[in-house]
Short mmCIF file of all heavy atoms in Angstrom, two decimals:
data_model
loop_
_atom_site.label_atom_id
_atom_site.label_comp_id
_atom_site.label_asym_id
_atom_site.label_seq_id
_atom_site.Cartn_x
_atom_site.Cartn_y
_atom_site.Cartn_z
N GLY A 97 111.07 111.08 114.02
CA GLY A 97 110.88 110.74 112.61
C GLY A 97 111.92 109.73 112.18
O GLY A 97 111.70 108.55 112.22
N GLY A 98 113.09 110.21 111.82
CA GLY A 98 114.19 109.34 111.41
C GLY A 98 114.86 109.89 110.17
O GLY A 98 114.30 110.72 109.44
N PHE A 99 116.10 109.46 109.93
CA PHE A 99 116.88 109.85 108.77
C PHE A 99 117.06 111.38 108.67
O PHE A 99 117.11 111.94 107.60
CB PHE A 99 116.26 109.31 107.48
CG PHE A 99 116.27 107.81 107.42
CD1 PHE A 99 115.26 107.06 107.99
CD2 PHE A 99 117.34 107.14 106.82
CE1 PHE A 99 115.28 105.67 107.95
CE2 PHE A 99 117.37 105.75 106.79
CZ PHE A 99 116.35 105.02 107.35
N GLY A 100 117.13 112.03 109.83
CA GLY A 100 117.32 113.48 109.86
C GLY A 100 116.03 114.28 109.83
O GLY A 100 116.07 115.51 109.86
N PHE A 101 114.89 113.61 109.78
CA PHE A 101 113.59 114.27 109.75
C PHE A 101 112.88 114.12 111.08
O PHE A 101 113.04 113.11 111.77
CB PHE A 101 112.69 113.68 108.66
CG PHE A 101 113.14 113.97 107.27
CD1 PHE A 101 113.83 113.02 106.54
CD2 PHE A 101 112.88 115.19 106.68
CE1 PHE A 101 114.26 113.28 105.26
CE2 PHE A 101 113.30 115.47 105.39
CZ PHE A 101 114.00 114.51 104.68
N ALA A 102 112.06 115.10 111.42
CA ALA A 102 111.17 115.00 112.57
C ALA A 102 109.86 114.37 112.11
O ALA A 102 109.60 114.25 110.91
CB ALA A 102 110.92 116.39 113.15
N GLY A 103 109.02 114.01 113.06
CA GLY A 103 107.70 113.48 112.71
C GLY A 103 106.83 114.55 112.08
O GLY A 103 106.10 114.30 111.13
N VAL A 104 106.91 115.78 112.62
CA VAL A 104 106.15 116.91 112.09
C VAL A 104 107.13 118.06 111.87
O VAL A 104 107.85 118.45 112.79
CB VAL A 104 105.02 117.37 113.04
CG1 VAL A 104 104.28 118.56 112.47
CG2 VAL A 104 104.06 116.22 113.33
N THR A 105 107.16 118.59 110.66
CA THR A 105 108.03 119.72 110.33
C THR A 105 107.19 120.82 109.72
O THR A 105 106.35 120.56 108.86
CB THR A 105 109.13 119.30 109.34
OG1 THR A 105 109.83 118.17 109.88
CG2 THR A 105 110.11 120.43 109.10
N THR A 106 107.43 122.04 110.18
CA THR A 106 106.73 123.21 109.64
C THR A 106 107.73 124.03 108.83
O THR A 106 108.85 124.27 109.28
CB THR A 106 106.15 124.08 110.77
OG1 THR A 106 105.27 123.25 111.56
CG2 THR A 106 105.38 125.26 110.22
N TYR A 107 107.30 124.43 107.65
CA TYR A 107 108.11 125.25 106.74
C TYR A 107 107.35 126.56 106.51
O TYR A 107 106.12 126.56 106.45
CB TYR A 107 108.32 124.54 105.41
CG TYR A 107 108.98 123.19 105.53
CD1 TYR A 107 108.23 122.04 105.75
CD2 TYR A 107 110.36 123.07 105.43
CE1 TYR A 107 108.84 120.79 105.85
CE2 TYR A 107 110.98 121.82 105.53
CZ TYR A 107 110.20 120.69 105.74
OH TYR A 107 110.80 119.46 105.85
N ARG A 108 108.10 127.66 106.33
CA ARG A 108 107.44 128.95 106.08
C ARG A 108 108.19 129.72 105.00
O ARG A 108 109.40 129.61 104.87
CB ARG A 108 107.40 129.79 107.35
CG ARG A 108 106.42 129.28 108.36
CD ARG A 108 106.10 130.30 109.44
NE ARG A 108 105.17 129.72 110.40
CZ ARG A 108 105.53 129.09 111.49
NH1 ARG A 108 106.80 128.96 111.79
NH2 ARG A 108 104.62 128.59 112.30
N GLY A 109 107.42 130.54 104.31
CA GLY A 109 107.97 131.47 103.33
C GLY A 109 106.89 132.47 102.97
O GLY A 109 105.78 132.08 102.61
N GLY A 110 107.20 133.75 103.10
CA GLY A 110 106.17 134.77 102.85
C GLY A 110 105.01 134.55 103.80
O GLY A 110 105.19 134.36 105.00
N ASP A 111 103.79 134.53 103.24
CA ASP A 111 102.62 134.31 104.08
C ASP A 111 102.15 132.86 104.08
O ASP A 111 101.10 132.53 104.60
CB ASP A 111 101.47 135.23 103.64
CG ASP A 111 100.93 134.90 102.26
OD1 ASP A 111 101.59 134.13 101.52
OD2 ASP A 111 99.86 135.41 101.89
N LEU A 112 102.95 131.96 103.51
CA LEU A 112 102.57 130.56 103.38
C LEU A 112 103.23 129.70 104.45
O LEU A 112 104.41 129.88 104.75
CB LEU A 112 102.97 130.04 101.99
CG LEU A 112 102.44 128.66 101.66
CD1 LEU A 112 101.75 128.69 100.31
CD2 LEU A 112 103.58 127.67 101.63
N THR A 113 102.46 128.79 105.03
CA THR A 113 102.96 127.82 106.00
C THR A 113 102.62 126.42 105.51
O THR A 113 101.48 126.15 105.12
CB THR A 113 102.34 128.04 107.40
OG1 THR A 113 102.65 129.36 107.83
CG2 THR A 113 102.86 127.05 108.40
N ILE A 114 103.62 125.54 105.53
CA ILE A 114 103.42 124.14 105.14
C ILE A 114 103.79 123.28 106.33
O ILE A 114 104.87 123.42 106.89
CB ILE A 114 104.30 123.76 103.94
CG1 ILE A 114 103.96 124.61 102.72
CG2 ILE A 114 104.16 122.27 103.62
CD1 ILE A 114 104.91 124.43 101.56
N ALA A 115 102.91 122.37 106.71
CA ALA A 115 103.20 121.40 107.76
C ALA A 115 103.27 120.02 107.12
O ALA A 115 102.33 119.60 106.44
CB ALA A 115 102.14 121.44 108.84
N LEU A 116 104.38 119.34 107.32
CA LEU A 116 104.57 117.98 106.82
C LEU A 116 104.57 117.05 108.02
O LEU A 116 105.43 117.14 108.90
CB LEU A 116 105.89 117.87 106.05
CG LEU A 116 106.31 116.46 105.63
CD1 LEU A 116 105.26 115.79 104.75
CD2 LEU A 116 107.67 116.52 104.93
N ASP A 117 103.58 116.16 108.08
CA ASP A 117 103.44 115.18 109.15
C ASP A 117 103.62 113.81 108.50
O ASP A 117 102.79 113.41 107.68
CB ASP A 117 102.06 115.32 109.78
CG ASP A 117 101.85 114.43 110.99
OD1 ASP A 117 102.64 113.48 111.21
OD2 ASP A 117 100.88 114.67 111.73
N MET A 118 104.73 113.13 108.84
CA MET A 118 105.00 111.87 108.15
C MET A 118 105.49 110.78 109.09
O MET A 118 106.12 111.04 110.11
CB MET A 118 105.98 112.06 107.01
CG MET A 118 107.36 112.52 107.38
SD MET A 118 108.35 112.70 105.88
CE MET A 118 109.76 113.56 106.57
N THR A 119 105.18 109.55 108.70
CA THR A 119 105.64 108.36 109.37
C THR A 119 106.70 107.72 108.48
O THR A 119 106.43 107.42 107.32
CB THR A 119 104.48 107.37 109.58
OG1 THR A 119 103.46 108.02 110.35
CG2 THR A 119 104.94 106.11 110.28
N ILE A 120 107.90 107.53 109.03
CA ILE A 120 109.01 106.94 108.28
C ILE A 120 109.23 105.53 108.81
O ILE A 120 109.38 105.31 110.01
CB ILE A 120 110.29 107.79 108.43
CG1 ILE A 120 110.03 109.20 107.88
CG2 ILE A 120 111.46 107.12 107.72
CD1 ILE A 120 111.16 110.17 108.12
N VAL A 121 109.27 104.55 107.87
CA VAL A 121 109.40 103.15 108.24
C VAL A 121 110.63 102.56 107.54
O VAL A 121 110.70 102.53 106.31
CB VAL A 121 108.14 102.36 107.84
CG1 VAL A 121 108.29 100.88 108.18
CG2 VAL A 121 106.90 102.94 108.50
N SER A 122 111.58 102.08 108.35
CA SER A 122 112.77 101.41 107.80
C SER A 122 112.39 100.02 107.31
O SER A 122 111.48 99.38 107.86
CB SER A 122 113.85 101.27 108.87
OG SER A 122 114.31 102.54 109.27
N ARG A 123 113.08 99.60 106.26
CA ARG A 123 112.87 98.25 105.72
C ARG A 123 114.22 97.61 105.46
O ARG A 123 115.16 98.30 105.05
CB ARG A 123 112.05 98.29 104.43
CG ARG A 123 110.62 98.62 104.65
CD ARG A 123 109.72 98.48 103.46
NE ARG A 123 110.29 98.02 102.23
CZ ARG A 123 109.68 98.10 101.06
NH1 ARG A 123 108.49 98.65 100.98
NH2 ARG A 123 110.24 97.67 99.96
#
Side-chain angles (χ1 to χ4, degrees):
F99 295 86
F101 292 100
V104 179
T105 306
T106 303
Y107 302 87
R108 288 196 181 91
D111 67 346
L112 188 129
T113 301
I114 299 172
L116 172 59
D117 185 345
M118 63 181 169
T119 302
I120 299 173
V121 178
S122 296
R123 288 189 1 194

